[in-house]
């Protein structure tokens, strides 16, 4: 496809089909490396990886990816109470405001114009706003799976779309060429198809995932287990921010990695697994037990 540019820089795509995918991948990589440096070890190599992945997310030109990196990084620093980092950020805040006020104002203005201010409705905005009316019309459980915002609703053009005049809205049409934005984001499907009841349940599950990661980070004895818990917290914050403009929890490339990590954290948090791992004798030659010779015939 033609290279998409933001300002004077072409958006990086990498091995993916869209800069959004690379932005998500780079953002989560930066968060994982940040968690590693906060829980396991800080080296020049991991510092270089952190800078490279953060720059990779920034150079995709995606507002969601850049915001996810910045906010999740700050969130993790606050969690570990990194006083020196926070003091340094506060000291640099006046300079940052002076340098970034202009670009941020321009981005906010362009975003408002893209999705709210212009005369023709934006597909993403239409889907999000209408999902609440669909949920209200089918209170409390929503319109049902395959009826609004999902891939099935796009493939088998939903009657909910026809009733709302979507065939006449650019990006929401009933052909593959005119319906490219029918699955642009995931919250319309969550709200419209599962209703207010399902949305509350989905939000509650995200809260439970956050608490599980935070609990493992605070209570685990092994650095790698603490890293997994802190990474899960950072990934959740990043994906919530990115879900405003793209599919995060229900589509590739990062959803499988996120829920895979949820499974790992769940296993590490199981009291029975902790008890069994603590009862296993130390491996010969580890840091916990010096190497010794075994008796013959043992």
């Amino acid at each position: 496809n033609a290279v998409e540019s933001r300002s004077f820089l072409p958006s990086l795509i990498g091995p993916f089909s869209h800069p959004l995918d690379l932005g998500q991948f780079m953002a989560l990589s930066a968060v994982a490396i940040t968690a590693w440096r906060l829980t396991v070890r800080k080296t020049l190599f991991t510092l270089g990886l952190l800078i490279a992945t953060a720059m990779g997310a920034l150079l995709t030109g995606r507002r969601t990816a850049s915001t996810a990196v910045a906010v999740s990084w700050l969130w993790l620093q606050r969690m570990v109470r990194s006083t020196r980092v926070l003091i340094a950020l506060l000291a640099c805040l006046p300079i940052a405001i002076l340098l970034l006020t202009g670009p941020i104002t321009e981005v906010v203005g362009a975003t408002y114009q893209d999705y709210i201010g212009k005369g023709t409705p934006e597909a993403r905005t239409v889907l999000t706003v209408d999902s609440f009316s669909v949920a209200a019309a089918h209170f409390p459980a929503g319109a049902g799976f395959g009826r609004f915002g999902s891939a099935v609703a796009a493939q088998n053009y939903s009657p909910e779309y026809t009733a709302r005049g979507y065939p006449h809205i650019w990006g929401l049409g009933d052909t593959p060429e005119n319906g490219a934005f029918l699955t642009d984001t995931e919250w319309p499907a969550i709200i419209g198809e599962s209703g207010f009841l399902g949305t509350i349940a989905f939000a509650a599950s995200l809260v439970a995932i956050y608490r599980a990661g935070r609990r493992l980070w605070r209570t685990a004895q092994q650095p790698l287990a603490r890293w997994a818990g802190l990474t899960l917290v950072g990934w959740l914050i990043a994906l919530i921010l990115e879900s405003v403009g793209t599919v995060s929890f229900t589509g590739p490339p990062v959803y499988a990695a996120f829920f895979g990590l949820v499974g790992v954290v769940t296993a590490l948090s199981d009291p029975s697994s902790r008890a069994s791992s603590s009862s296993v004798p130390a491996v010969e030659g580890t840091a916990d037990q010096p190497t010794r010779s075994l008796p013959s015939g043992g």
Side-chain angles (χ1 to χ4, degrees), residues 37-250:
R37 290 174 55 80
L38 293 174
T39 55
V40 181
R41 186 184 299 113
K42 293 182 178 179
T43 64
L44 289 177
F45 177 69
T46 56
L47 177 61
L49 284 179
L50 176 59
I51 295 174
T53 51
M55 288 300 298
L58 180 64
L59 292 177
T60 61
R62 305 302 105 176
R63 291 161 285 195
T64 52
S66 301
T67 303
V69 170
V71 174
S72 56
W73 184 85
L74 288 172
W75 192 282
L76 295 185
Q77 298 295 334
R78 184 196 65 83
M79 285 186 62
V80 300
R81 298 177 182 178
S82 182
T83 307
R84 291 181 299 176
V85 173
L86 296 177
I87 291 177
L89 289 175
L90 288 175
C92 296
L93 186 59
I95 300 176
I97 293 176
L98 181 63
L99 295 177
L100 299 177
T101 297
I104 291 177
T105 301
E106 182 180 349
V107 170
V108 170
T111 302
Y112 175 83
Q113 185 64 29
D114 287 343
Y115 297 107
I116 300 175
K118 63 183 182 181
T120 56
E122 181 72 22
R124 187 179 299 169
T125 305
V126 171
L127 280 174
T128 304
V129 173
D130 284 357
S131 65
F132 288 94
S133 63
V134 172
H138 300 276
F139 183 85
F145 296 138
R147 297 279 293 185
F148 193 87
S150 62
V152 175
Q155 293 168 1
N156 305 278
Y157 202 73
S158 174
E160 299 286 347
Y161 297 161
T162 304
R164 286 167 173 76
Y166 284 8
H168 306 290
I169 299 177
W170 185 81
L172 301 180
D174 53 2
T175 64
E177 295 78 15
N178 297 328
F181 296 148
L182 285 170
T183 57
D184 198 31
T185 54
E186 62 200 332
W187 286 106
I190 296 171
I191 298 170
E193 292 190 346
S194 64
F196 297 121
L197 185 62
T199 302
I200 292 173
F202 187 84
S205 71
L206 296 183
V207 173
I209 289 172
Y210 178 89
R211 294 181 63 184
R214 185 172 181 269
R215 187 185 307 113
L216 181 63
W217 165 70
R218 295 182 64 180
T219 60
Q221 300 299 320
Q222 298 296 329
L224 288 180
R226 299 183 72 240
W227 169 71
L230 193 61
T231 298
L232 181 61
V233 170
W235 279 13
L236 179 60
I237 299 300
L239 290 180
I240 287 175
L241 291 170
E242 293 187 352
S243 68
V244 175
T246 185
V247 176
S248 299
F249 298 107
T250 60

